[in-house]
Amino acid sequence: LIILHFWWLLQADCPTTVHGLQSIFQEQEMTETVHDTEGHGYLATFIGKNGRLVILRVTALGLLTIDLQCCEGDNIVQVENLLNTLEEKLRSLLHGNIKRVKRLPALTRGAAVDRYWPTADGRLVEYDIDRVVYDEDSAYQNIKIMHSRQFGNILILNGDVNLAESDLPYTQAIMGRGKENYAGKEVLILGGGDGGILAEAVKLNVYIDQMVIDGCRTHMRKACGSVLDNLKGECYQVLVEDCVPVLKKYVEEGKTFDYVINDLTAVPISTAPEEDSTWEFLQLILDLSIKVLRPTGKYFTQGNSANLTETLALYEEQLGRLSCPVDFSKEVVCVPSYMELWVFYTIWKK
C-alpha cells in the first residue's frame, strides 16, 4: 500500500482536478467506479488488470488522497512511474495552490515477517525486522523473538515489545541508573524473564514464564548472558511460579528485601472496565512488594510512555492508596527499541 496525499487551497477546482487524473488511469486501462459520498467530497476506485487498486478521495476541506495497492510481484518501476506521473499532473492542475504534498513509504500487508508494531501512545512503527527467530505459545502468552538489524533480537510478548538486546538503558533505569550498590544485598525481581536484570544484579529471586526463559536463554544472550543457563547460581535462584502467593508467603513469614524490582507489566494505558483487573493486579503487587521491603529499601518499576501523562498520573494516585505511606521519584529514559521515551519509578517507605 502506497499513500500519496495533497492538501490544496480551497479555491482549487475539484472537478477539473479529478478529470485530469482520470485520463491517467484510463491510459493505465484501469476501470473506474465512482461512489456516492452523500455530499462529502469525491470518492472513486480504479482497478487494473494486474490487480492494482487505486482509491482516489477528495474531501470538502481540500485534502486529496491517492492510495495505491499492488500485489507481490508487481513491476515496482511501473508503480513508481505511475505515482510520479500523478504527482506531476496534480502539480500542473493545481497551479501552485498546493499547501503540502506527502508520499508515505510503502506499507507491506501479509508479509511472512511482521515489521509493524504500535508504540504505547498509539503510533505505528515499522521496524527493520528481517526474520523470526522464535515463536511459541505458552499457557500464558505468545512469545516472539524477532531479529532487527538495528536493535538485535527483540522479545515481543502478546504483541507488546518488551526488550531488545540493545536496550541496556531499560535495564539500567529499572535498577536505579548505577546509583545503587547491590553487593551483599537481597534483591527480589518480579518478572524479568528476559534475564537482563538478572545478568546485572547480585542476589535475587525471580518469578517468570518458563517458556520466556527458554526462548531468551537461546536467542537473547546479548541481554542475559549465561545467567539463564541454570536456574540456581551461587548468589541467585530463579523460581518459575506465580509471584502473588510467594509474595503473600514472604509477608506472612516476615521476610524482607533490600530491593524489589517489578518488571512484570507496564502501567495500563486506559481505565476502561476491561483494564480494571490489570489495575487491581498492579495495586496488589505494589502493596505486597512494599510490605516485603525493608525500611531503607527501594522499589523500582517501569511506568509507561512519557506521553501518557494521564495514565501516569493515575498510577501516582495509586501510590497514595497503599497500606504503607510512600514517596517516589521518576526518571524519563530513551529505550532504543521502544522508539519513545519511557518513565521509570523509584518508590520508598516514608
Side-chain angles (χ1 to χ4, degrees), residues 37 42 71 75 82 106 119 126 152 157 167 185 187 189 197 208 220 222 229 245-246 250 254-255 282 307 309 320 339:
T37 63
Y42 173 87
C71 300
N75 190 313
L82 173 57
T119 60
E126 180 178 5
L157 301 178
D167 291 345
K185 303 294 177 62
V187 182
I189 296 180
I197 299 172
I208 42 187
M220 297 283 290
K222 289 182 181 178
D229 291 348
V246 178
Y250 285 163
K255 183 172 179 58
L282 198 67
N307 286 342
T309 53
M339 299 194 198

Side-chain angles (χ1 to χ4, degrees), residues 312-328:
L312 297 172
L314 286 170
Y315 176 72
E316 291 164 18
E317 286 180 17
Q318 296 280 333
L319 299 180
R321 300 173 186 165
L322 300 177
S323 57
C324 171
V326 299
D327 275 332
F328 70 90

Side-chain angles (χ1 to χ4, degrees), residues 6-8 10 14 40-42 57-65:
F6 285 74
W7 196 347
W8 63 43
L10 293 179
C14 177
H40 297 284
Y42 173 87
R57 187 177 190 104
V58 184
T59 72
L61 296 176
L63 174 65
L64 183 149
T65 61

Side-chain angles (χ1 to χ4, degrees), residues 1 27 49 81 110 141 185 190 220 282 313:
L1 172 63
E27 291 172 4
K49 295 179 180 178
N81 289 339
Q141 58 202 331
K185 303 294 177 62
L190 309 175
M220 297 283 290
L282 198 67

Side-chain angles (χ1 to χ4, degrees), residues 231-249:
L231 298 186
K232 189 171 184 178
E234 292 182 3
C235 61
Y236 69 88
Q237 181 181 7
V238 178
L239 301 180
V240 186
E241 300 179 34
D242 182 350
C243 70
V244 173
V246 178
L247 277 170
K248 288 180 177 179
K249 177 172 175 282

